[in-house]
Amino acid sequence: MPSPDHLQRPLSRRGFLAAGTVAAGVALGLVSGPAQAATWPRPFGRYGSPAARLTPLTLYVDPRGRGDFTTVQGAVSAATTAGYTLVIAPGVYRETVTAGVTDPVTGQLTAAASEMTWLGAGTDPGSVVIVYDNANGTQKPDGSGTYGTTGSATTTIRTDGFTARRITFANDWLRADHPDITGTQAVAIKVQGDRSAFFDCRFLGHQDTLYADSLALGVFARQYYTRCYIEGDVDFVFGRATAVYDHCHFRTLDRTDLATAPYGFVFAPSTAVANPRGYLVTHSRVSSEAPGGYYKLARPWVPGSDTTAHPMLTVRETALGPGIDAVAPYTNMSDTYPWQSQRFAEYRNTGPGAVISVPENRPQLTAEQAESATREAYLGDWTPGRRR
């Protein structure tokens, strides 16, 4: 049986992939059988059970059949009114999940499944893993084409007022396993709803791990991520949401398929020109498995669907490790839209990746400007929920 210390230590995506799903389940104490039963005698912890339901709108998910549903999608599909809570027992859930109800007549998203909360019932986010392995270039089973970037997402959140706690969202598709596929974007989660909050969660992937977006170009979606861990290599935090990353850890991965820098880019915002708030990273840190200086901090994404986009990123009071190219931390995705013309800025960052040796390459906020670059200013009248 794994020791409690081992269970509480997060299993990295690299270790998760190397072990494979079954072995990873063993390492996390998640497989069925005597060892699992001894490790998790109460699969839902302090959150009750189907026999002692916290509220009528609480649903229980357990892959071994001790809840209302064995899959996350099964529970999400049953949550057809606002205010449901899903308590998810420890386990590896290999499935794709979409939260958000579309009206069958109008095709428009309805508010029926809004204000939904997912609670990981384990001791840490590594205990509950939602994972799949589609990429942009993966062929659909019905032969209708490939999934595309959006379709590759393991989890898609389209409803407003969503909250997740202590859950790992992952996409374990690997380039090395599919040398014939050139569309290597593989999204772990796409978040489009307004007032979406993630507490103590992990987001694991390589390219395009966390897609923090909105439902439409003219819709501004506020999102909040705190005490979260996000890893990847190319543009692995991207999209047009108004998103605050507070006390988060971003980790860039090593790459054996490239011989020279850059290996990738941490952020690729695509903020709409009309949106006064893009990405804010505050009191966080960026570490790396790669050699020093092999990653850029960001590049602006101006997608073909919105050539008027004006990407915005502010990184403040954050520790930037040696993996970030301190001399030239920003670069262009397209020379048509130079990063210097976008809304990129920093404020009081520390670490070897934050050293200012070429000032024109590192625009800085003034103290006065920094007063409006706060969580409260970005989230407006919304205060993310209390810890549960």
Side-chain angles (χ1 to χ4, degrees):
M1 180 188 303
S3 69
D5 288 343
H6 181 81
L7 288 173
Q8 292 173 6
R9 191 166 58 249
L11 186 66
S12 73
R13 179 175 185 274
R14 189 166 298 272
F16 178 85
L17 295 174
T21 303
V22 175
V26 173
L28 289 169
L30 305 180
V31 295
S32 58
Q36 191 281 329
T39 304
W40 300 108
R42 297 174 59 221
F44 306 109
R46 59 193 175 97
Y47 296 115
S49 68
R53 206 173 296 275
L54 290 185
T55 71
L57 295 183
T58 302
L59 299 176
Y60 295 88
V61 185
D62 176 58
R64 289 159 295 279
R66 293 168 294 179
D68 301 305
F69 300 90
T70 57
T71 66
V72 178
Q73 185 61 64
V76 169
S77 297
T80 55
T81 59
Y84 268 91
T85 295
L86 273 57
V87 178
I88 307 174
V92 177
Y93 297 83
R94 179 159 286 275
E95 58 177 304
T96 59
V97 184
T98 298
V101 178
T102 302
D103 186 288
V105 176
T106 66
Q108 298 297 309
L109 192 70
T110 72
S114 63
E115 314 305 323
M116 182 183 291
T117 298
W118 296 3
L119 301 177
T123 57
D124 60 68
S127 299
V128 176
V129 179
I130 304 173
V131 58
Y132 211 71
D133 60 348
N134 287 329
N136 178 332
T138 301
Q139 290 288 332
K140 295 180 180 179
D142 62 4
S144 62
T146 59
Y147 282 101
T149 298
T150 290
S152 75
T154 297
T155 301
T156 302
I157 305 299
R158 306 184 68 223
T159 185
D160 292 339
F162 176 83
T163 299
R165 298 178 185 272
R166 296 181 303 279
I167 297 173
T168 292
F169 300 91
N171 189 317
D172 61 0
W173 188 90
L174 287 174
R175 298 182 187 95
D177 294 340
H178 305 276
D180 56 317
I181 292 180
T182 57
T184 57
Q185 299 89 343
V187 177
I189 187 170
K190 182 171 185 176
V191 186
Q192 297 178 281
D194 185 37
R195 294 179 293 105
S196 299
F198 296 82
F199 298 84
D200 304 292
C201 290
R202 296 192 307 168
F203 306 91
L204 310 183
H206 278 270
Q207 183 171 354
D208 292 6
T209 303
L210 171 55
Y211 196 168
D213 205 49
S214 70
L215 283 169
L217 178 58
V219 177
F220 302 160
R222 294 164 296 175
Q223 300 172 16
Y224 181 63
Y225 303 81
T226 186
R227 303 184 302 275
C228 292
Y229 174 86
I230 308 104
E231 73 176 26
D233 50 37
V234 178
D235 304 331
F236 64 93
V237 182
F238 73 114
R240 64 172 171 245
T242 293
V244 176
Y245 305 92
D246 182 11
H247 289 86
C248 290
H249 179 191
F250 304 88
R251 186 159 180 82
T252 60
L253 300 176
D254 201 1
R255 296 185 64 174
T256 59
D257 59 316
L258 294 180
T260 59
Y263 278 1
F265 321 88
V266 181
F267 303 100
S270 57
T271 322
V273 65
N275 191 347
R277 301 282 185 263
Y279 286 0
L280 172 66
V281 180
T282 179
H283 295 91
S284 296
R285 66 185 177 113
V286 179
S287 66
S288 183
E289 293 180 0
Y294 267 53
Y295 272 86
K296 303 290 187 180
L297 187 60
R299 62 178 182 173
W301 178 32
V302 180
S305 59
D306 178 21
T307 56
T308 66
H310 195 196
M312 181 178 186
L313 168 70
T314 298
V315 181
R316 63 173 298 167
E317 295 163 300
T318 288
L320 305 180
I324 297 300
D325 180 355
V327 175
Y330 307 106
T331 190
N332 300 335
M333 188 175 294
S334 167
D335 290 342
T336 305
Y337 308 102
W339 73 263
Q340 293 90 342
S341 300
Q342 314 307 325
R343 295 176 284 179
F344 283 7
E346 301 179 50
Y347 184 69
R348 292 185 176 178
N349 293 323
T350 59
V355 173
I356 303 173
S357 57
V358 183
E360 59 267 32
N361 286 349
R362 308 205 73 142
Q364 303 290 310
L365 297 180
T366 65
E368 183 179 3
Q369 291 170 330
E371 291 179 0
S372 62
T374 64
R375 181 184 93 165
E376 293 73 18
Y378 273 58
L379 301 184
D381 61 359
W382 171 49
T383 301
R386 293 180 179 178
R387 186 181 182 91
R388 290 182 64 179

